[in-house]
Amino acid sequence: MAQRSSDCVFCGIVAGTIPSTQVRETDRTLAFRDVSPQAPVHVLVVPKDHYADVAEVVAAAPHLLRLLLEECVAVARDEGIADDGYRIALNTGEQGGQAVAHCHAHVLGGRQMAGQLG
Ligand code: AMP
């Protein structure tokens, strides 16, 4: 199982040493509001264990990906955007626009998303 990384901001949020606005929690995942929201609803869903990106999760703990996506769907429901629609994004690696090297899914909604990604 991946260990928490002391220099990872999302591990700090999971540990409670870095503040966040949490919206949901399970034994394996945490959902909290993005500090720089790009939409009226912008929540990040992370595994509590440290995996650098979604590829690491798929390789090491594929069942966790299902839990992560289930939590994204639950966030959308709780935030009231499920009916209108929303976007789930898993930026991966430098050219994928991933700035924080701890796997995270963005749940974005509350406005019309652009037709093109990026
Ligand atoms: P990405 O570019 O996919 O790695 O997205 C990283 C996201 O993490 C960005 O949308 C940031 O605004 C967000 N972020 C970075 N630090 C924090 C923090 N301390 N609390 C909440 N969101 C954060």
Side-chain angles (χ1 to χ4, degrees), residues 39-99:
V41 174
H42 189 171
V43 173
L44 302 175
V45 184
V46 306
K48 288 183 173 177
D49 293 325
H50 182 88
Y51 297 95
D53 56 27
V54 67
E56 278 199 4
V57 176
V58 166
H63 57 286
L64 185 54
L65 191 61
R66 175 180 177 157
L67 299 177
L68 199 70
L69 290 173
E70 285 176 346
E71 278 303 292
C72 291
V73 171
V75 164
R77 182 198 64 216
D78 289 358
E79 296 288 320
I81 58 173
D83 288 346
D84 286 341
Y86 54 93
R87 177 170 291 167
I88 297 172
L90 286 149
N91 297 334
T92 306
E94 186 182 347
Q95 290 202 350
Q98 184 180 9

Side-chain angles (χ1 to χ4, degrees), residues 9-11 13-14 19-26 29-39 41-48 68-69 71-73 75-76 79 81 87-91 97-109:
V9 62
F10 291 171
C11 284
I13 286 174
V14 169
S20 70
T21 304
Q22 299 182 11
V23 297
R24 285 184 62 85
E25 183 173 18
T26 70
T29 66
L30 186 68
F32 52 91
R33 298 199 188 282
D34 196 292
V35 75
S36 180
Q38 305 299 306
V41 174
H42 189 171
V43 173
L44 302 175
V45 184
V46 306
K48 288 183 173 177
L68 199 70
L69 290 173
E71 278 303 292
C72 291
V73 171
V75 164
E79 296 288 320
I81 58 173
R87 177 170 291 167
I88 297 172
L90 286 149
N91 297 334
Q98 184 180 9
V100 178
H102 180 130
C103 179
H104 54 281
H106 298 254
V107 181
L108 295 144

